[in-house]
Amino acid sequence: MITLCRATLVALMLAVSAIAPAYAQEKTGLKPGFVLAPGTARIVMMRPSIRVGAQSTGGMYEPNADWTDQAKENIATALAKAQTGLGNSVVGYVDPVGASSAKVAEYQELFGAVASSVIEYQFFKGNRLPTKKRKDQFEWGLGHDVRTLPGLETADYALFITTEDHFGSTGRKVLQVFAAMARVGVTAGVHKGFAGLVDLRTGELVWLNADMQMGGDVRDAEGADKRVRQLLEGFPGKPVEAPAAVTAVAAAPAPAIASAH
C-alpha cells in the first residue's frame, strides 16, 4: 500500500511539472544609451509597496496583516543594508501627509501597472507590441508630473519597489494536485516583484527589474534578503563585485616551480 501511494504521488508530481507553463521571458529592461556612473546621482527610494496574504482554494487573494507587517520590517532591514552598495547616494522617501499622500499612493499604483505592462507586452516575446519589438527599444514612463511629488525636488531619480506574495492555502494545493490529474494547469501561490528607476527630469523609466516568479519568503529575514538581492540585481551604477575566489587567486604569489626540476 505504501509503495502504491508513493508511486501515485510521484506520478502526480510529474503531471504537475509536465503541464506547468514555460515562462521564457526577459526580466530586465534598460533605456538604450542610459548610463549611471557611480557617485553621480541622488536617488530617493520610495516607500516600497508590500502585500502579503494567502491564496484561497478558488485563487482569490486574502490579505494577512501579520504577514504583511513582518514582510515590511524584514524588507526595510534588507534594503537598508543593500542601498549602501548601489554606487550612488540613496535616501529613503519621507511620506507626506494629506492630499499629497494620496498622490504618492497613486504613483506607486501607476508604477506597478506600468511594470506589469512591460512584462506582458515587452518581456514576453510572443506578446510584444509592434512598437516594442526592437531589441534596443525600451520606452516606458510615469509621466513628467512625477517630479512634482513632495520631497523629490532635489533628487535625480526615484527608485520604486513593489512586492506581492500570495501563499497557496492547503485547499489551493490540493486543488492543484487534482487539477493535474485532469491535465489542467493550476498554480499555487503568487510571488512577484518589481524594482524600477525613474528619471525625475523626464518621468521616463530608465531601468526595470521585474519577475512574476520571485524567490525568498519575505516573512523571514533570510527570505527578505534574497528577495531584495533579486529585485536590485543589475541595478545601474552598482559597482561590480569581483568574486572572492578570483580575487584571492589573483592576489596569491605565483607558485615556485624550480623545485620541480
Side-chain angles (χ1 to χ4, degrees), residues 125-197:
K125 295 182 180 180
N127 290 346
R128 280 182 180 166
L129 297 174
T131 56
K132 307 295 182 184
K133 290 188 176 182
R134 282 180 20 213
K135 292 183 179 180
D136 61 346
Q137 190 170 32
F138 186 80
E139 297 179 2
W140 302 86
L142 304 188
H144 290 81
D145 287 346
V146 65
R147 62 186 175 186
T148 65
L149 290 177
L152 299 184
E153 297 86 355
T154 61
D156 301 302
Y157 300 92
L159 175 60
F160 286 82
I161 291 176
T162 295
T163 69
E164 186 168 338
D165 293 87
H166 309 177
F167 291 92
S169 63
T170 300
R172 183 68 176 181
K173 294 175 181 177
V174 170
L175 175 63
Q176 184 183 38
V177 172
F178 280 101
M181 297 173 63
R183 310 296 292 178
V184 177
V186 172
T187 59
V190 173
H191 305 284
K192 62 183 180 181
F194 315 139
L197 192 65

Side-chain angles (χ1 to χ4, degrees), residues 186-239:
V186 172
T187 59
V190 173
H191 305 284
K192 62 183 180 181
F194 315 139
L197 192 65
V198 176
D199 187 335
L200 294 175
R201 294 165 296 182
T202 63
E204 293 178 316
L205 184 62
V206 293
W207 170 80
L208 177 70
N209 191 25
D211 193 349
M212 300 299 284
Q213 295 180 320
M214 278 277 174
D217 187 337
V218 295
R219 297 172 297 183
D220 62 60
E222 184 177 353
D225 284 339
K226 180 177 181 180
R227 175 67 58 88
V228 168
R229 285 196 304 270
Q230 291 182 340
L231 284 167
L232 299 178
E233 185 177 0
F235 186 84
K238 184 177 180 181

Side-chain angles (χ1 to χ4, degrees), residues 34-43 86-89 157 235-239:
F34 175 72
V35 176
L36 181 61
T40 62
R42 184 174 188 272
I43 302 170
L86 295 182
N88 282 278
S89 172
Y157 300 92
F235 186 84
K238 184 177 180 181

Side-chain angles (χ1 to χ4, degrees), residues 96-110:
V97 296
S100 296
S101 178
K103 188 175 180 181
V104 172
E106 289 176 1
Y107 271 101
Q108 288 176 323
E109 290 293 327
L110 175 60

Side-chain angles (χ1 to χ4, degrees), residues 3 29 36-37 47 62 77 81 87 112-113 117 124 170 231:
T3 302
L36 181 61
R47 177 173 53 85
E62 299 176 344
T77 301
K81 293 185 293 185
S117 295
F124 274 110
T170 300
L231 284 167

